[in-house]
Amino acid sequence: LPGIIPGRGAIVIKYGREDDPLVLVVMHLSLSAKAQNRQLGFIREIISDYRHVVLMGDMNTHAEQLLENSPLRGLSLVALPESAHSFPSWRPGKALDHILVSPSLKILKAGVLMYPVSDHLPVSLDIQLPDGYESA
């Protein structure tokens, strides 16, 4: 991902139909809002032509900021509830880890897993695959 300090990155995976894939992006954003906006602008360019999108990872900010005051604004992405606190893992009080999905995907189950293997707890999401996709 673009930024002054190296080490922040994203993994992009395309799954399913070649003409209409499910695009998964796993990312770890910088701490500053300015750097996050540069990184999210880069991500938006990658996902802008796709209908089925899942963005996930340590975003180091709240979902409201991502959805309303970042380059992701206007994409109609849906987030886990702000009550899904994942940081710090030993006493979760902030929702900094997110899974954002496009409105074409149906959320079946979402939450935070009480599995403290780092300073963040993992977030999880079950979605229904779009019509025409096989389950793995």
Side-chain angles (χ1 to χ4, degrees), residues 26-94:
V26 182
M27 66 188 88
H28 186 191
L29 298 180
S30 294
L31 296 173
S32 79
K34 182 178 178 182
Q36 288 172 2
N37 282 335
R38 283 186 59 208
Q39 293 166 343
L40 292 170
F42 179 79
I43 295 296
R44 185 176 179 133
E45 286 182 32
I46 292 171
I47 66 170
S48 64
D49 292 334
Y50 299 104
R51 188 166 58 123
H52 310 298
V53 176
V54 178
L55 305 179
M56 66 178 87
D58 179 355
M59 300 195 192
N60 281 312
T61 192
H62 296 280
E64 181 179 328
Q65 172 68 23
L66 294 166
L67 299 174
E68 297 176 13
N69 301 311
S70 84
L72 300 180
R73 182 181 180 162
L75 294 179
S76 301
L77 296 171
V78 178
L80 295 174
E82 271 296 315
S83 61
H85 295 161
S86 58
F87 180 82
S89 60
W90 54 89
R91 185 179 283 167
K94 293 182 180 181

